[in-house]
Amino acid sequence: MKQKKFLTIYNELKSNILTQDLNYGNQLPSEYDLVSTYDASRETVRKALHMLEQDGMIQKIRGKGSVVIYQEITEFPFSELISFKEVKEELDLKHETNVILNEIVEAQAFPEVQRELEVSDNEKLVHIQRTRSIHNKVKIFDEDFFLKSVVEAITKGIAQDSIYAYLENKLKLDISYSSKAITFESFSSLDYEIFGNHLTPFTATVRSTVFLKDTTCFQYNISKHLATEFKFKEFSRRR
């Protein structure tokens, strides 16, 4: 049986979005152009666009028409203490890591971090910022603080590859557990610099304090994900 025309339009546009022929933020052809391309009525085109909107693929914006808002989502293992490199290998991710800052700072310059690590004003910290990108578009912004008394220094090469592999295999640190919290926050000025302009300028921000087996709190991590691309799952059982 011949497929109804609105389904043909819907399926072809959806396929173009999923294969990234139409990327996040791209504008779809106008209703007038779609009517012409598919030799369809305006009502048929609008039905197809409505289905795409219901699927979370597009958003109709006054003055701009239909804009692609779909982005492929990666499920990160929120409950596990795992390095990004391990996640990347496990899930076959294509992200590229770029180190944008590697410095030694005093804890008093970062009150939130000082409070979480419970250290004195003059405590030295290794401060590292890294981006995780796909096709030169930043998807994740990671910021790490390590006690310099525990981790003397981290080279750019180590930070670009895997800090945890270095800490465990070279420094023989026994990394044991962490506590995490997620908040959803509007872009800061730094986030705009890192991520650029987005239709939904919000991050899902995961803040983690990480402990060694002897209960030393030696790391504080702030991992910012584009809110539209962040998803986590947990298994729960009623007691």
Side-chain angles (χ1 to χ4, degrees):
M1 189 173 76
K2 187 177 180 181
Q3 187 179 65
K4 292 184 178 180
K5 189 163 286 187
F6 75 88
L7 288 175
T8 298
I9 300 170
Y10 162 78
N11 286 326
E12 287 190 11
L13 291 175
K14 184 174 182 177
S15 176
N16 288 339
I17 293 170
L18 292 175
T19 58
Q20 296 189 327
D21 288 331
L22 288 168
N23 287 304
Y24 175 82
N26 286 169
Q27 190 172 342
L28 263 62
S30 67
E31 289 185 7
Y32 176 84
D33 288 337
L34 290 172
V35 166
S36 177
T37 298
Y38 290 98
D39 189 24
S41 68
R42 187 174 290 268
E43 181 182 352
T44 296
V45 166
R46 286 179 175 172
K47 190 170 184 178
L49 294 177
H50 177 71
M51 290 174 65
L52 289 170
E53 191 172 28
Q54 292 298 109
D55 285 351
M57 293 281 177
I58 65 170
Q59 176 69 44
K60 292 182 179 178
I61 300 176
R62 186 182 298 275
K64 292 189 70 174
S66 297
V67 176
V68 177
I69 61 170
Y70 172 81
Q71 298 182 85
E72 187 175 1
I73 294 174
T74 301
E75 290 184 22
F76 283 85
F78 176 73
S79 61
E80 297 178 49
L81 180 49
I82 185 171
S83 72
F84 183 83
K85 183 176 181 180
E86 291 168 327
V87 173
K88 182 178 176 180
E89 291 174 350
E90 184 178 313
L91 301 180
D92 192 28
L93 304 182
K94 307 304 180 186
H95 296 64
E96 295 294 328
T97 296
N98 183 38
V99 181
I100 60 175
L101 183 67
N102 188 350
E103 63 178 0
I104 304 298
V105 298
E106 289 188 346
Q108 61 187 335
F110 299 89
E112 174 191 346
V113 179
Q114 181 181 2
R115 182 177 64 253
E116 293 297 328
L117 293 177
E118 299 183 349
V119 293
S120 65
D121 287 353
N122 298 324
E123 183 82 27
K124 296 291 193 298
L125 306 174
V126 179
H127 178 211
I128 295 174
Q129 292 179 339
R130 294 174 290 178
T131 58
R132 323 289 192 174
S133 304
I134 298 179
H135 305 309
N136 296 317
K137 293 182 180 179
V138 176
K139 303 295 185 179
I140 303 169
F141 173 45
D142 275 330
E143 186 167 24
D144 286 286
F145 298 85
F146 298 91
L147 294 183
K148 192 174 185 297
S149 58
V150 176
V151 183
E152 179 66 23
I154 295 173
T155 67
K156 181 178 180 180
I158 290 170
Q160 199 148 334
D161 181 37
S162 173
I163 292 177
Y164 269 30
Y166 170 72
L167 298 181
E168 293 179 318
N169 300 330
K170 186 71 174 178
L171 299 188
K172 304 300 181 183
L173 295 181
D174 196 348
I175 302 169
S176 183
Y177 62 96
S178 71
S179 62
K180 300 182 182 181
I182 300 178
T183 55
F184 290 85
E185 304 167 6
S186 17
F187 273 16
S188 65
S189 56
L190 178 58
D191 294 334
Y192 275 110
E193 288 181 31
I194 297 294
F195 293 107
N197 291 317
H198 282 266
L199 292 173
T200 50
F202 293 88
T203 62
T205 301
V206 183
R207 291 180 170 84
S208 307
T209 49
V210 186
F211 299 79
L212 300 177
K213 191 173 182 179
D214 66 3
T215 72
T216 299
C217 182
F218 82 106
Q219 178 194 3
Y220 187 66
N221 169 263
I222 304 169
S223 185
K224 294 190 173 186
H225 306 243
L226 290 172
T228 51
E229 299 187 21
F230 182 81
K231 180 180 181 181
F232 70 90
K233 283 186 177 181
E234 283 294 304
F235 173 78
S236 299
R237 187 188 300 277
R238 183 170 172 79
R239 290 183 296 175

